[in-house]
Amino acid sequence: MAEKMTEFEQVVNKAREAFLSGKTRNVEFRKKQLKALQRMYDENEGAFCTALAKDLRKPKQESILLELNLLKDDLRFMLARLDDWVKPEKIGTNLVTMFDQPIIYHDPYGVVLVMGAWNYPLQLPLLPVSGAIAAGNTVIIKPSEISPATAQILADLVPKYLDNECYYVVCGGVPETTELLKQRFDYIFYTGSPEVGKIVREAANKHLTPTTLELGGKSPLYIDDTVDFDLAVRRIIWGKCINAGQTCIAPDYLLCTREVQDKFVEKAREILKEWYGDNPKDSPDLCRIISDKHLDRIAEYLKDGKVVVGGEVDREQRFISPTILVDVSPRSKVMTEEIFGPILPIVSVSNAFDAIRFINERDHPLCTYLFTTNCKVRQAFVRDVLTGSMCVNDCVVQLGLHELPFGGVGTSGMGAYHGRASYDTFTHRKSCLIRNYNKLAEQIGKLRYPPYSEKNTRMLSKMLRETNLPSLKCLSYILAFGLGVASVFIAKEIAKSGGRDWFSRRLGAIFGFFHSSRT
Ligand code: NAD
């Protein structure tokens, strides 16, 4: 008896059928879906904010600025450019292929699986989805089970807005995801921890499925004494405190000299009091830790150094106050594991070069932050630190620029997305050479056929070399320029010699030339 198809197998089959039907090849169809996503965000802002508040007690400002607006702006950016992006790319030729058309076509992969993480439970599973749709794929979205309210609202709303044959939301925990990953996808986009990233990669390898892994790790921050301290510390503390530190690109730890450390701690204490009051637990602007398990894990880090600011833990409320730790050993847990909570350990270094060395001795960060106005220090960081991305003199805001690809390197991830990079991620660039039967080209081309000879090898090698022949596109510019110059010249001539006369004289000259050349 044939085995019964699992629920996931059925969903993947349906998504594949929809892809094979060719529906998503139509760019107007893709744009319609992207606009439907826009409507989904606009019409359900309140419901999304409520779900995010349930999962993380996320303040409305953070929900709007760091989840919904990011999604909406990315869609606007994409919709304004999609018609250009989908155009086949024409490229240059060499002497042998000068009469042919080498073109790069953009193909969707097919059925894409997008798996999101719980910390930005709306933005993380949906931002890649717009790229996957724009590129013409069908998509299965798997939100994180750790943020159940947002997962549920996605499961409820996505089918109401997006095409039901092409786009699906599947929910579940580890057993369900394990089952889901047994299916054959054409692309997997995963956001989450490096540990689960390895599981996803292993599952993808069974079918040689290409993957993008958006992972985590420790994002370091170096600050020197050349900065505007008030501004710099505000930016750093904001980057650490949004989402209660549960941000993959939050500054994880701080490197600075002893003197800078003292100044930093004093300023941070002052700013935290200004923002969250004497009792930060009462502030409506601080998120909660996602689960008891994560709260216990983060609370353990408090033992790894001397608490100089904060340090309060309330398990019932899943609250940890913004905390600064000093006298931390680089070998302690807080310095070897990703913190993913509102604790900022400070490690002393003697200068910027010491800090670069410290960073380079560890896994490549998802993001590296640098606070300095010293050009030499900035140049050294930019040149010497291999990191997913870098932001100088601010934290997290680099995310808002759609033209900056977002992704990690090494253990912090592979591949990138946001804006054009999202479209590129879900697009296979198919190279295609369209030849013709031009006899002149064949005079050159036939040198490849036997009988082989040294002379033919030499000639062909020369002709196959990159010659930078002007492409047709370039030719059209030259022609347009030529026509422009000619029309100015003609206009001047006409003006000089009185319209009609000038034409009849010129035409007479042309006919005269043809007549004399025939006889
Ligand atoms: P998570 O627990 O929500 O897991 C992410 C996804 O993996 C979920 O869909 C979940 O169902 C699935 N999953 C979990 N365990 C699994 C297993 N054993 N087998 C198969 N699937 C499984 O999120 P997380 O991993 O706790 O996320 C936090 C991590 O994600 C941090 O390391 C953080 O830095 C990283 N992160 C990275 C980015 C980025 O863009 N690079 C963004 C957010 C979070």
Side-chain angles (χ1 to χ4, degrees):
M1 203 175 76
E3 234 178 84
K4 205 170 150 252
M5 248 200 273
T6 64
E7 184 199 337
F8 294 134
E9 218 172 330
Q10 286 178 24
V11 173
V12 176
N13 282 349
K14 281 198 241 167
R16 182 152 286 114
E17 269 309 306
F19 179 73
L20 293 175
S21 76
K23 214 170 172 178
T24 59
R25 295 268 170 174
N26 183 319
V27 178
E28 288 311 311
F29 172 83
R30 301 180 202 175
K31 290 202 297 205
K32 198 172 144 202
Q33 301 306 312
L34 295 177
K35 284 177 188 158
L37 269 184
Q38 257 177 342
R39 264 190 298 115
M40 181 175 92
Y41 302 139
D42 286 337
E43 290 170 8
N44 300 283
E45 191 167 291
F48 283 130
C49 289
T50 307
L52 291 165
K54 257 193 201 161
D55 284 331
L56 287 142
R57 221 198 73 166
K58 209 176 269 235
K60 193 171 173 200
Q61 180 164 328
E62 287 186 23
S63 297
I64 290 183
L65 291 182
L66 298 165
E67 302 249 17
L68 280 157
N69 279 8
L70 215 63
L71 288 163
K72 289 184 198 175
D73 293 346
D74 198 62
L75 273 175
R76 260 195 296 273
F77 182 84
M78 228 169 235
L79 276 164
R81 291 161 181 81
L82 189 59
D83 285 328
D84 269 345
W85 293 349
V86 296
K87 281 182 190 151
E89 301 165 47
K90 290 188 179 140
I91 56 149
T93 57
N94 53 30
L95 274 173
V96 180
T97 50
M98 62 197 273
F99 297 105
D100 306 319
Q101 296 177 62
I103 301 177
I104 300 167
Y105 290 100
H106 292 182
D107 278 355
Y109 281 98
V111 183
V112 165
L113 170 65
V114 175
M115 293 171 68
W118 53 262
N119 56 329
Y120 286 85
L122 190 61
Q123 185 243 101
L124 293 174
L126 288 179
L127 204 60
V129 169
S130 38
I133 293 177
N137 301 276
T138 56
V139 190
I140 295 170
I141 308 164
K142 161 65 184 70
S144 173
E145 71 282 11
I146 315 284
S147 42
T150 316
Q152 191 55 53
I153 198 168
L154 286 184
D156 292 342
L157 290 180
V158 168
K160 288 187 186 150
Y161 286 87
L162 294 187
D163 182 278
N164 286 186
E165 288 174 349
C166 298
Y167 313 106
Y168 301 84
V169 176
V170 296
C171 291
V174 175
E176 289 80 9
T177 317
T178 309
E179 203 47 48
L180 182 66
L181 283 169
K182 287 183 188 157
Q183 307 306 314
R184 185 173 72 79
F185 293 96
D186 302 300
Y187 202 98
I188 299 180
F189 189 105
Y190 168 79
T191 303
S193 63
E195 291 67 38
V196 180
K198 287 178 197 162
I199 297 174
V200 172
R201 189 87 196 281
E202 222 171 288
N205 273 351
K206 288 217 178 79
H207 303 288
L208 289 179
T209 303
T211 49
T212 291
L213 301 178
E214 294 289 340
L215 310 177
K218 296 181 84 63
S219 294
L221 186 151
Y222 174 73
I223 179 170
D224 68 17
D225 59 0
T226 65
V227 299
D228 174 334
F229 247 81
D230 186 69
L231 259 184
V233 181
R234 275 174 201 279
R235 291 173 181 179
I236 295 167
I237 296 297
W238 177 80
K240 187 67 178 182
C241 288
I242 50 167
N243 215 30
Q246 302 162 109
T247 304
C248 57
I249 51 165
D252 184 278
Y253 62 92
L254 194 143
L255 299 169
C256 61
T257 60
R258 281 262 168 210
E259 301 74 57
V260 170
Q261 173 182 304
D262 294 343
K263 267 167 93 176
F264 180 88
V265 171
E266 199 186 311
K267 198 59 167 167
R269 191 179 289 122
E270 195 185 304
I271 290 166
L272 285 168
K273 192 167 169 186
E274 178 193 320
W275 288 353
Y276 305 120
D278 285 325
N279 190 0
K281 201 165 43 175
D282 294 340
S283 163
D285 299 332
L286 281 169
C287 283
R288 293 302 183 252
I289 304 301
I290 187 75
S291 66
D292 292 345
K293 192 177 127 204
H294 279 283
L295 181 116
D296 293 340
R297 177 185 62 78
I298 300 166
E300 273 293 299
Y301 297 141
L302 296 174
K303 297 178 190 157
D304 288 345
K306 184 173 147 204
V307 175
V308 286
V309 176
E312 188 192 351
V313 179
D314 181 336
R315 200 164 190 274
E316 209 158 287
Q317 281 209 31
R318 277 199 257 112
F319 173 80
I320 299 183
S321 61
T323 299
I324 298 177
L325 287 183
V326 296
D327 299 339
V328 178
S329 156
R331 280 179 296 281
S332 60
K333 265 190 170 184
V334 77
M335 282 306 298
T336 49
E337 296 175 359
E338 180 179 2
I339 300 169
F340 226 51
I343 297 179
L344 185 68
I346 303 181
V347 173
S348 309
V349 286
S350 39
N351 54 42
F353 301 96
D354 216 12
I356 291 174
R357 195 182 163 82
F358 189 95
I359 296 166
N360 285 343
E361 281 169 355
R362 286 158 178 77
D363 287 336
H364 302 310
L366 182 57
C367 192
T368 299
Y369 294 109
L370 169 67
F371 281 74
T372 186
T373 56
N374 181 323
C375 288
K376 284 206 175 112
V377 169
R378 192 184 70 214
Q379 278 163 3
F381 264 79
V382 171
R383 187 189 57 221
D384 295 339
V385 178
L386 181 60
T387 172
S389 60
M390 191 174 277
C391 182
V392 182
N393 293 321
D394 212 331
C395 293
V396 181
V397 292
Q398 71 273 21
L399 210 72
L401 285 167
H402 308 293
E403 277 171 278
L404 283 181
F406 177 84
V409 55
T411 52
S412 59
M414 57 180 75
Y417 72 132
H418 288 201
R420 171 79 202 225
S422 296
Y423 171 82
D424 289 343
T425 286
F426 294 108
T427 296
H428 169 64
R429 292 172 81 233
K430 180 171 69 186
S431 300
C432 185
L433 174 66
I434 303 171
R435 300 216 66 193
N436 61 31
Y437 292 95
N438 185 292
K439 293 279 186 280
L440 183 60
E442 189 55 14
Q443 282 306 312
I444 304 169
K446 76 180 183 191
L447 297 176
R448 71 185 143 150
Y449 304 134
Y452 296 149
S453 72
E454 292 257 335
K455 187 177 146 219
N456 287 358
T457 309
R458 245 192 340 268
M459 279 174 72
L460 259 183
S461 303
K462 263 189 203 149
M463 281 186 272
L464 281 168
R465 242 174 248 161
E466 196 195 335
T467 38
N468 276 337
L469 288 177
S471 73
L472 273 170
K473 208 172 166 189
C474 175
L475 218 63
S476 67
Y477 289 133
I478 294 170
L479 269 176
F481 178 72
L483 276 174
V485 172
S487 57
V488 171
F489 171 74
I490 291 170
K492 271 189 184 164
E493 286 289 309
I494 293 172
K496 252 195 256 164
S497 55
R500 273 176 158 244
D501 282 0
W502 188 88
F503 264 121
S504 44
R505 261 186 281 124
R506 286 293 175 273
L507 282 176
I510 291 166
F511 283 126
F513 169 78
F514 276 114
H515 183 72
S516 59
S517 59
R518 277 180 163 197
T519 51

